[in-house]
Amino acid sequence: MGIVAGLDSSAEYTSIVVCDTESGAVVKHGHAEHPGERDDPQSWLISLGKAASTGQLADVQAIGVSGQQQGLIALDGGGVPVGPALVGNDQRVQTSAADLVDALGGREAWAQAVGTVPQAAHPVSKLRWLAREQPEAASRAVEVMQPHDWLVWQLLGRPARRVTDRGDASGTGYWSAATESYRPDLVELALGHQVGLPDVIGPAEAAGQTPEGLLISAGTGQTMAAAFGLGVGVGDAVISLGATGSVCAVHHEALSDPTGTITSYADATGMHLPVVRTLNATRALRGTAELLSTDLKGLDEMAARSTPGASGLVLLPYLEGEQTPQLPHTAGSLHGLRRESMKPDFLARAAVEGMLCGLADALDVLRGRGVQVRRVFLLGQAAGLTSVRAAAPGLLGAQVVVPEPADYAAIGAARQAAWVLAGGGQPPQWPAASCQVFEAGEEMAVGQAVRQQYVTVREQTYPGAFSV
């Protein structure tokens, strides 16, 4: 019986939850925005201190850390950053990512090497950018970390040993989830010289103890922590509805994809978490809402008044090009216009169905590789829309689960801390997240007919898009 803490350091803020080790119940929480620039690691530490300033960490026995993924902190020989952290999907890095793809011999070579093809977000691409754009700083770099690694290191008092976990390591572009090992040659390919990399420790291993004797777990990236906090397992997929979309699922093995459509991540439990991304999710809804002079709530009301299939309207929601399928230079398009379908309600419905069908395409990429999908967790603001909840089960072909809002990444970090504290091979069995469940029922056939209508239009417009 005791309490553990989970710290989630996102791009903008730090959240802390303190949980009972046995029941998982949240007994305390804290929150603070980062006070400085998002690329300043010291700002992350300051917000952590503010989030814990009213005694949130008093009497906790262990701490887990979840951090924003795929940031890069390059340190000199004294452990000082050589410059601001490189965080997020920094589009300055896109050219460097493309250079790396060519330097190793193409997308398939990267997929075979580490299960991922370099994008702007990957730390390996950021190393290439650093070497090209800031060579003096790059020459001083002797080790590299990601945000969660750096925070764990700070909490431990900056020991000689640096550690990370397999989940965060799998997003670097120089660690393979299939072989569970680094590829130092890819680091050298990107940066021009070797650097120190954190030791990758297991999900239930301790990173160490603070100078005060507090146990710190391995920590992990936000996606992995949120999946662990939700309690997802084999047969579960998670769809995140941000401006862009992502679909991930728990799987027993790493998936190598020569096209690079699937990114092969590891999870926080010893399993794998293949991910497929789309460039267009909620941005398609917001764009349509603006066109109709309304907001998301108004769009939702319009779509709910319409009927499945939107009177034949089909929106291919590729407003920013698309990653799944790989159509980077295309644009969105509206099909099936007839006089009777040219009404706001039908357009609103077509936007909702187009977004969900695009995500169903991503889900089918995983299904096509043998990934089981019995239920889908739907996350993000758009998951609260009535029209999205009603249409999703039939279009996705699965039970849809919408969790109640909570700091799931922080909860996942706390659950990992409880696991390390207790020891043993299995994580603590905390109660599943509170959710609303939506079934297609008799509407499944209707939903699948709408999905087929979308697939037909997509294939007519972009023949063989998924066979390239």
Side-chain angles (χ1 to χ4, degrees):
M1 188 72 169
I3 56 173
V4 292
L7 316 179
D8 176 38
S9 180
S10 77
E12 290 87 25
Y13 59 81
T14 300
S15 287
I16 297 176
V17 298
V18 177
C19 300
D20 181 90
T21 55
E22 294 185 8
S23 69
V26 176
V27 296
K28 288 188 284 187
H29 60 84
H31 181 91
E33 303 291 323
H34 298 328
E37 297 297 326
R38 66 192 299 255
D39 59 2
D40 178 8
Q42 291 300 320
S43 178
W44 314 339
L45 276 183
I46 292 169
S47 72
L48 192 162
K50 288 182 177 178
S53 62
T54 56
Q56 281 81 356
L57 300 183
D59 301 320
V60 302
Q61 297 166 285
I63 294 176
V65 177
S66 160
Q68 56 176 303
Q69 288 173 236
Q70 299 183 320
L72 180 76
I73 307 164
L75 305 175
D76 65 17
V80 177
V82 302
L86 296 172
V87 294
N89 189 23
D90 190 334
Q91 290 305 304
R92 296 178 301 170
V93 182
Q94 192 60 59
T95 300
S96 297
D99 287 346
L100 279 178
V101 173
D102 293 338
L104 194 64
R107 301 172 68 86
E108 185 171 356
W110 278 96
Q112 291 178 346
V114 289
T116 189
V117 177
Q119 305 285 340
H122 290 114
V124 71
S125 303
K126 291 165 180 166
L127 286 175
R128 181 75 153 196
W129 183 88
L130 193 67
R132 293 285 178 85
E133 302 299 326
Q134 298 180 1
E136 189 278 329
S139 69
R140 291 188 289 114
V142 300
E143 63 180 317
V144 294
M145 294 182 177
Q146 293 187 86
H148 124 253
D149 312 335
W150 188 84
L151 287 166
V152 166
W153 184 53
Q154 297 295 321
L155 289 171
L156 293 174
R158 297 164 60 97
R161 186 192 188 207
R162 280 72 154 165
V163 299
T164 189
D165 89 301
R166 57 196 294 279
D168 227 4
S170 65
T172 59
Y174 44 80
W175 188 88
S176 167
T179 64
E180 304 223 358
S181 61
Y182 281 118
R183 288 286 303 265
D185 58 312
L186 300 183
V187 174
E188 186 168 0
L189 179 68
L191 188 61
H193 65 272
Q194 292 292 341
V195 291
L197 302 170
D199 293 342
V200 181
I201 62 177
E205 288 186 63
Q209 292 185 328
T210 69
E212 299 77 26
L214 186 63
L215 195 65
I216 306 293
S217 68
T220 193
Q222 280 185 311
T223 298
M224 298 77 187
F228 196 39
L230 281 167
V232 300
V234 173
D236 294 331
V238 180
I239 293 182
S240 296
L241 300 175
T244 61
S246 70
V247 180
C248 64
V250 178
H251 197 50
H252 65 280
E253 64 179 350
L255 297 178
S256 176
D257 175 20
T259 71
T261 301
I262 300 173
T263 298
S264 190
Y265 290 121
D267 80 346
T269 71
M271 297 285 281
H272 294 270
L273 203 66
V275 176
V276 179
R277 303 189 188 280
T278 69
L279 296 182
N280 301 276
T282 306
R283 67 161 38 105
L285 302 188
R286 294 191 184 281
T288 306
E290 290 174 9
L291 181 64
L292 296 173
S293 301
T294 187
D295 55 13
L296 280 184
K297 183 174 182 294
L299 180 88
D300 186 33
E301 292 170 351
M302 291 180 186
R305 289 195 299 264
S306 183
T307 54
S311 190
L313 281 188
V314 174
L315 175 68
L316 298 182
Y318 306 153
L319 306 186
E320 299 291 331
E322 190 47 80
Q323 184 172 333
T324 306
Q326 291 173 17
L327 298 168
H329 305 300
T330 192
S333 53
L334 187 63
H335 303 258
L337 277 173
R338 298 180 184 276
R339 177 65 187 88
E340 59 271 18
S341 65
M342 296 177 70
K343 294 181 172 61
D345 291 358
F346 292 134
L347 179 56
R349 180 80 185 197
V352 169
E353 292 176 346
M355 177 191 74
L356 288 170
C357 285
L359 290 160
D361 280 348
L363 193 61
D364 280 354
V365 170
L366 295 179
R367 284 173 166 146
R369 293 296 304 276
V371 176
Q372 298 179 43
V373 180
R374 289 189 294 269
R375 62 176 180 169
V376 175
F377 286 79
L378 211 56
L379 308 181
Q381 183 183 4
L385 301 180
T386 300
S387 57
V388 170
R389 294 179 174 195
L395 295 177
L396 300 176
Q399 180 189 79
V400 169
V401 177
V402 181
E404 296 297 324
D407 289 326
Y408 289 110
I411 291 170
R415 189 180 177 202
Q416 186 192 65
W419 189 5
V420 171
L421 183 65
Q426 297 299 318
Q429 296 303 305
W430 287 2
S434 297
C435 301
Q436 292 181 269
V437 178
F438 299 88
E439 304 274 7
E442 295 178 357
E443 298 299 314
M444 178 65 79
V446 174
Q448 289 298 289
V450 173
R451 175 80 202 292
Q452 186 56 53
Q453 175 179 265
Y454 176 93
V455 170
T456 299
V457 170
R458 190 239 301 141
E459 279 297 303
Q460 289 174 343
T461 310
Y462 302 104
F466 276 103
S467 60
V468 176

